[in-house]
Amino acid sequence: NVYAYAPNLVGYARIALAICALRTAFADVRTCLLCYFASFACDELDGRLARRYDQCSEFGRALDMITDRLATSGLLVVLAMEHREWYATCVGLLALDVASHWTHAYVQLMIGADGHKSIGDESFFLLRWYYGNRIFMGACCVSVEVLYLCL
């Protein structure tokens, strides 16, 4: 049953942790940061489990990407509310995050790629570098999330 795959169970925990983080964002910043960081750290865990136990699925890919987008969007909304002077920047970053990931995933689906992290040689060099080098991708993802959490 794909819904009970180990990486998807981690994905459900990520959702619960992200909800906890966003619910406590204004009342208990420490709990918010701990829950959000735990949810973010589990993002690496679900991918490792999927590959290790050969439990990769379309459902899991979608769950992972949607959880990532919603958690980051929620954090940007909290930042926009907390720092009103950066409202337009936070909303712009939210729109850029969602639109760029949706567009890339849709294009990959249209060309029949194996998943949204697949990339062809004809792609923009930065996308090839991002998706082709897990260390670079990880550094980018961690850096932006840590930046948002520090703010």
Side-chain angles (χ1 to χ4, degrees):
N1 183 355
V2 70
Y3 302 110
Y5 280 2
N8 295 338
L9 297 176
V10 172
Y12 307 144
R14 287 184 61 211
I15 293 169
L17 286 165
I19 290 170
C20 177
L22 297 173
R23 286 183 55 104
T24 61
F26 298 105
D28 186 356
V29 174
R30 184 182 179 123
T31 299
C32 171
L33 292 174
L34 288 173
C35 288
Y36 191 92
F37 186 78
S39 175
F40 178 69
C42 286
D43 186 24
E44 174 64 21
L45 179 61
D46 66 6
R48 284 186 187 271
L49 289 173
R51 290 183 294 277
R52 181 174 186 175
Y53 296 114
D54 195 27
Q55 293 184 336
C56 299
S57 67
E58 290 303 316
F59 175 77
R61 284 185 184 116
L63 178 67
D64 182 55
M65 187 172 16
I66 290 168
T67 302
D68 291 346
R69 301 293 58 81
L70 291 177
T72 301
S73 295
L75 185 55
L76 283 166
V77 168
V78 168
L79 288 173
M81 293 172 66
E82 187 69 21
H83 302 283
R84 303 277 182 183
E85 68 278 12
W86 290 99
Y87 177 83
T89 301
C90 290
V91 170
L93 288 169
L94 191 158
L96 177 64
D97 184 54
V98 171
S100 64
H101 280 86
W102 181 86
T103 301
H104 179 70
Y106 188 73
V107 166
Q108 295 308 306
L109 178 67
M110 294 291 291
I111 65 172
D114 196 25
H116 70 279
K117 292 184 180 174
S118 299
I119 198 76
D121 290 339
E122 70 284 349
S123 298
F124 182 58
F125 80 94
L126 196 53
L127 285 176
R128 284 194 316 269
W129 198 26
Y130 181 79
Y131 287 108
N133 184 332
R134 290 189 58 81
I135 293 171
F136 179 66
M137 183 194 320
C140 289
C141 293
V142 169
S143 296
V144 76
E145 293 294 331
V146 168
L147 172 67
Y148 293 162
L149 289 173
C150 287
L151 293 174

